[in-house]
Amino acid sequence: MKKIMTTILMGSTLLGMNAQNGKDNPLLKDWAGSYGGVPAFNEYKISDFKPALEFAMQEKLNEVKAIANNPKPATFKNTIAALEKTGKRLARVYAVYGIYSSNMNSPEFEPIESEMEPKLASVADKITQNTKLFKRIQTVYNSKDKKKLTKEQQRLVKVYYDNYVYAGAKLDAKAKAKVSELNQQLAGLYTKFNQNLLSEENNQFVELKSEADFAGLPEELRNSAVANAKERKLSSLGSVANTRSSVEPFLTYSSNRALREQVWQMFVNRGDNGNAQDNNATIVEILKLRAQRAKLMGYPSHADWKLSNTMAKNPANAMKLMLDIWKPAVAQVKIEVADMQKIVDAEGGKFKIQPWDYRYYAEKVRKEKYDLDQNEVKQYLQLDKLREGMFWVAGELFDLKFVQVSNVPVYQPDVTVYEVLNKTTGKHVGLWYFDPYARKGKRSGAWMNEYRSQERFDGEVPTIVSNNANFIKGAPGEPVLISWDDASTLFHEFGHALHGLCSNVNYPTLAGTNVARDYVEFPSQVLEHWLSTPEVLKNYALHYKTGQPMPQALLDKIEKASRFNEGFNTVELISSALIDMKLHMEGNKTIDPDAFEKTALAELNMPSEIVMRHRTTQFGHIFSSDEYSAGYYSYLWADVICADAYEAFTEGKGPYDKEVAKRLLKYVFSSGNTTDQGDAYRSFRGRDAKVDALMRAKGFPIVK
């Protein structure tokens, strides 16, 4: 998941301190030091955030006002380029604020977040709703002189114009005021949703009270459970944290069915427990306000509005893709369940497969069909070694080199920082921060943040990005072993980071990952393919005890089982995407989230043995902000593109084909939003992506 900052609030020029009341606030200072400057995490205090944000927001508004009120005729230089130079201080403060929100949240930070989120939304609206400013943007957009601009400058003008229109710049004053009011209310609700979810994830756990409760768990999971209980200062032998990286391995290996159900219930009912953290009422309000806003924008639903600036263009196109793949995926699940049920029956289980059984019995089927034990595979998947493998892949594909540095402040001792260099020239490219472990105050899941976008129109500014995850630490001195799914996620998020690091554009608004929502997941998802390449597995999948590489026999088993459980994986994801889209296609109706989810899934013939990957009440992608709302389908949309793109390598000389990699870098990873994403892909592939590639990758029948 790519965590994207609000571009309206961002800017790209370094400004000196110009106000007495802000001079002592470390958040308001320029980022100093090497690498183009870095955040001074060793100086920041939570009490700094509110005054820093308020100061920087007002400064941004003043800068924008000066551009809007410029008496000279609007030109690219004095309007569009000038806007690119605004708000750098706010961008810096907002970046650090976002890091604390996602990684270092606390009872002291929560009230600041609750107060500031609506204010940030208000500032964004004051900018996009500035009539004088939009008229200047519109003048440049319609100017005959636009043809004299470079292609990138023309693209920048179009992106500005489209973004402002999308945000409501053409609305009348009354409608603008109402949209701003709705945006501020929504910002508060998103914060409430987030804080509720974070509270349940931080404070809920399942205790393991006896040796019998550890039955079936491999050594590293036992160690993690013990460490988690010690961290929580529990008297029990161990505990299972309410995070995916803790829950899914437990469901895969625990032979205690009652405990599996307890852990599963804890995880899937986050935000749906009828307590003070219950998210149902918050979701009802979010959906209502989104529908009202969409109507003001001139669209029948939130989904229609959100998809108007994507590759899919409208909900119908996204729905068609999802339903085309949904049907063969459900059919595949029936086959998978039948195989699992045979094992249950043979063992005298006297029960039908339930959702808390799926991973456990799928693993048994994997062993039976392919003689492949995921726990055996896991012995070779050391987090540190896989990180080195990712670096090697980045070097082979994009000529990048990662070197750990110790002269950069971090916000938490577990965070490490790497300088990224061009492997051939030695030129500094950027910094990569890595924050891999779960802890209290950190939201669940895995994501990428961009602290600073690459640019060079007003001086060379290098990228700063981070990858964040929630792996569970083991015993002191022991390597962290992760599952194959977690390893894939690691590569996925690193793909987002590389998308930011490889950016090679002039203007920050067009840099890196600032692309269409249903395209941004393509560079990340395509990188997942390199995890399973023999070059990575032979050299970086090393046994944690012996240091020996993964044997060829095990590599062969992994290859043979590569399509195993694709029905489960696909149904889990698409069910979430379908509910997301259906919720946001409803228009101005009052919806009961739990009832809607249940009814919609029944209409889709959702297999009873599976639940959505993200149930509605914990669906942070779509209710923690507007970013992925009516947009979770983008993972599937991007999956089509990345399956097709990877076939460009397999049709060539293989995964490390230098010529194909050069095209991938030139047209995808480095080009940002300097061109239409459909055109960019066609430049890389020579044609549009075909869904057939995804069906082949999953082992599903080709849709006709």
Side-chain angles (χ1 to χ4, degrees):
M1 174 184 175
K2 158 79 169 76
K3 182 72 174 174
I4 300 176
M5 301 299 185
T6 307
T7 55
I8 295 298
L9 293 175
M10 308 295 270
S12 65
T13 186
L14 296 173
L15 299 168
M17 295 303 297
N18 59 8
Q20 187 67 26
N21 65 348
K23 68 177 182 179
D24 296 324
N25 190 320
L27 279 167
L28 291 172
K29 295 177 182 177
D30 292 351
W31 289 354
S34 304
Y35 317 115
V38 296
F41 288 116
N42 54 322
E43 297 180 11
Y44 304 144
K45 302 186 299 293
I46 289 177
S47 58
D48 294 330
F49 280 107
K50 181 182 174 181
L53 282 168
E54 289 179 337
F55 179 90
M57 286 189 293
Q58 187 57 54
E59 182 178 68
K60 169 82 171 182
L61 289 173
N62 292 343
E63 293 165 3
V64 168
K65 184 178 179 181
I67 296 169
N69 292 335
N70 187 343
K72 295 181 180 179
T75 64
F76 175 84
K77 185 176 181 180
N78 70 17
T79 302
I80 305 299
L83 283 169
E84 287 290 270
K85 295 180 180 182
T86 62
K88 186 59 180 185
R89 196 193 314 276
L90 179 56
R92 291 196 305 273
V93 176
Y94 188 73
V96 178
Y97 166 81
I99 292 162
Y100 270 70
S101 174
S102 297
N103 300 280
M104 299 285 286
N105 218 307
S106 66
E108 295 77 24
F109 186 81
E110 284 185 355
I112 296 169
E113 193 175 30
S114 297
E115 180 182 356
M116 298 313 298
E117 284 298 316
K119 291 182 178 181
L120 285 159
S122 175
V123 168
D125 288 333
K126 286 176 180 177
I127 295 169
T128 56
Q129 294 182 4
N130 186 313
T131 302
K132 288 182 178 179
L133 179 64
F134 179 64
K135 283 182 178 178
R136 293 182 69 83
I137 293 170
Q138 194 171 35
T139 296
V140 179
Y141 178 75
N142 292 324
S143 172
K144 293 179 181 178
D145 289 339
K146 190 170 67 173
K147 294 179 181 179
K148 298 177 183 178
L149 301 175
T150 67
K151 288 184 178 180
E152 184 177 344
Q153 289 171 338
Q154 291 180 43
R155 178 69 177 174
L156 183 63
V157 172
K158 175 176 169 52
V159 167
Y160 261 96
Y161 178 80
D162 289 348
N163 284 347
Y164 275 61
V165 171
Y166 177 79
K170 286 187 172 182
L171 299 178
D172 61 36
K174 184 178 179 181
K176 283 180 178 177
K178 183 60 178 176
V179 165
S180 184
E181 178 188 333
L182 293 172
N183 284 339
Q184 291 174 62
Q185 291 177 32
L186 283 166
L189 290 167
Y190 298 151
T191 303
K192 184 178 181 181
F193 181 97
N194 267 332
Q195 291 178 355
N196 285 344
L197 185 56
L198 185 64
S199 175
E200 300 232 313
E201 290 171 346
N202 281 336
N203 298 315
Q204 293 177 353
F205 51 87
V206 171
E207 293 186 83
L208 305 181
K209 299 178 180 179
S210 69
E211 274 300 319
D213 291 346
F214 289 88
L217 299 185
E219 182 182 0
E220 72 277 1
L221 286 185
R222 293 174 62 93
N223 292 341
S224 293
V226 170
N228 190 261
K230 287 181 178 177
E231 185 181 338
R232 293 180 182 276
K233 299 180 180 177
L234 303 176
S235 59
S236 52
L237 295 178
S239 63
V240 181
N242 201 7
T243 66
R244 193 174 296 278
S245 293
S246 185
V247 166
E248 289 185 353
F250 186 86
L251 295 178
T252 302
Y253 296 110
S254 174
S255 56
N256 187 324
R257 189 167 187 249
L259 264 182
R260 286 204 309 270
E261 181 178 3
Q262 188 181 348
V263 168
W264 180 86
Q265 292 283 2
M266 171 184 71
F267 190 65
V268 302
N269 288 324
R270 290 168 295 154
D272 195 21
N273 290 303
N275 54 15
Q277 286 75 45
D278 192 285
N279 271 328
N280 279 283
T282 303
I283 291 168
V284 171
E285 194 66 16
I286 288 173
L287 292 171
K288 183 179 76 173
L289 298 183
R290 282 175 171 170
Q292 290 177 21
R293 182 179 58 186
K295 188 175 180 181
L296 285 166
M297 295 291 192
Y299 291 88
S301 72
H302 178 75
D304 287 279
W305 175 61
K306 282 292 289 182
L307 270 72
S308 64
N309 69 345
T310 64
M311 294 183 76
K313 302 301 181 189
N314 58 61
N317 289 335
M319 287 294 291
K320 182 181 185 306
L321 173 65
M322 288 189 281
L323 292 173
D324 280 350
I325 298 176
W326 174 256
K327 295 167 187 174
V330 170
Q332 184 62 33
V333 165
K334 291 179 180 178
I335 296 171
E336 293 172 6
V337 170
D339 287 339
M340 292 187 285
Q341 193 65 50
K342 286 177 185 176
I343 294 178
V344 172
D345 296 344
E347 293 177 347
K350 306 293 185 185
F351 60 84
K352 289 189 175 182
I353 293 290
Q354 297 298 319
W356 50 89
D357 300 316
Y358 207 109
R359 293 180 184 276
Y360 181 72
Y361 283 97
E363 187 59 22
K364 290 196 171 195
V365 173
R366 192 196 313 266
K367 292 177 187 176
E368 185 179 277
K369 274 194 168 185
Y370 301 100
D371 190 26
L372 179 64
D373 183 345
Q374 280 293 81
N375 190 44
E376 180 186 2
V377 175
K378 194 173 183 180
Q379 312 307 305
Y380 293 88
L381 301 180
Q382 300 178 59
L383 177 59
D384 287 348
K385 296 296 182 185
L386 288 174
R387 185 196 61 227
E388 292 175 16
M390 295 191 314
F391 292 167
W392 181 81
V393 169
E396 292 298 300
L397 296 181
F398 306 129
D399 203 30
L400 296 178
K401 179 181 179 181
F402 290 72
V403 179
Q404 188 170 354
V405 295
S406 58
N407 59 337
V408 173
V410 293
Y411 53 84
Q412 210 276 342
D414 289 332
V415 178
T416 50
V417 185
Y418 294 79
E419 181 183 11
V420 187
L421 305 164
N422 181 285
K423 197 167 64 169
T424 300
T425 65
K427 181 183 176 183
H428 175 75
V429 172
L431 291 178
W432 182 71
Y433 289 63
F434 189 41
D435 182 3
Y437 302 122
R439 60 176 171 271
K440 195 166 185 177
K442 187 178 186 181
R443 70 180 179 87
S444 64
W447 65 96
M448 169 266 198
N449 274 131
E450 197 162 66
Y451 298 0
R452 183 173 64 207
S453 296
Q454 174 267 332
E455 65 173 274
R456 62 166 175 268
F457 91 108
D458 194 39
E460 284 279 350
V461 177
T463 311
I464 302 178
V465 298
S466 74
N467 280 146
N468 314 271
N470 274 276
F471 299 117
I472 305 299
K473 280 186 175 181
E478 289 289 325
V480 176
L481 303 182
I482 65 177
S483 69
W484 184 267
D485 285 347
D486 280 340
S488 294
T489 300
L490 189 68
F491 270 68
H492 174 104
E493 297 303 334
F494 190 59
H496 281 310
L498 291 177
H499 196 187
L501 288 164
C502 289
S503 179
N504 185 25
V505 306
N506 290 302
Y507 300 96
T509 291
L510 304 178
T513 56
N514 293 327
V515 296
R517 165 64 56 236
D518 45 13
Y519 191 79
V520 75
E521 295 298 336
F522 157 44
S524 57
Q525 286 175 221
V526 77
L527 201 78
E528 294 177 35
H529 285 280
W530 275 267
L531 167 63
S532 59
T533 58
E535 293 86 346
V536 169
L537 295 179
K538 285 181 179 179
N539 293 292
Y540 299 98
L542 306 179
H543 196 279
Y544 80 106
K545 287 184 177 178
T546 67
Q548 293 299 306
M550 191 176 284
Q552 187 60 48
L554 188 52
L555 291 172
D556 292 341
K557 290 177 186 178
I558 290 172
E559 174 60 28
K560 288 178 182 177
S562 61
R563 295 173 178 171
F564 178 73
N565 223 28
E566 275 299 335
F568 172 85
N569 294 332
T570 308
V571 164
E572 194 189 38
L573 185 143
I574 300 182
S575 59
S576 295
L578 285 167
I579 294 298
D580 167 34
M581 193 64 72
K582 285 174 173 287
L583 280 169
H584 290 109
M585 289 170 65
E586 282 295 307
N588 203 17
K589 296 180 183 177
T590 300
I591 290 170
D592 177 332
D594 279 346
F596 185 92
E597 178 185 304
K598 185 177 180 180
T599 301
L601 291 176
E603 291 172 352
L604 289 165
N605 296 315
M606 174 76 168
S608 62
E609 301 86 0
I610 303 178
V611 292
M612 301 158 60
R613 183 166 181 81
H614 306 285
R615 284 199 56 235
T616 310
T617 54
Q618 65 218 217
F619 209 162
H621 282 77
I622 67 172
F623 292 121
S624 65
S625 72
D626 268 335
E627 289 173 4
Y628 280 81
S629 61
Y632 197 68
Y633 79 93
S634 62
Y635 286 95
L636 184 65
W637 192 274
D639 221 4
V640 171
I641 303 173
C642 88
D644 187 80
Y646 192 67
E647 285 193 352
F649 284 90
T650 58
E651 290 165 4
K653 297 177 182 177
Y656 299 95
D657 186 315
K658 294 295 185 184
E659 291 306 313
V660 181
K662 283 180 182 177
R663 295 205 309 273
L664 187 67
L665 175 62
K666 180 178 180 180
Y667 296 114
V668 177
F669 277 79
S670 70
S671 62
N673 195 12
T674 56
T675 186
D676 174 83
Q677 276 82 70
D679 292 340
Y681 187 77
R682 282 184 286 274
S683 295
F684 162 69
R685 194 69 167 101
R687 57 167 174 76
D688 288 321
K690 297 178 180 179
V691 72
D692 296 10
L694 179 62
M695 305 304 277
R696 283 191 289 272
K698 291 182 175 293
F700 295 168
I702 302 296
V703 177
K704 300 297 182 183

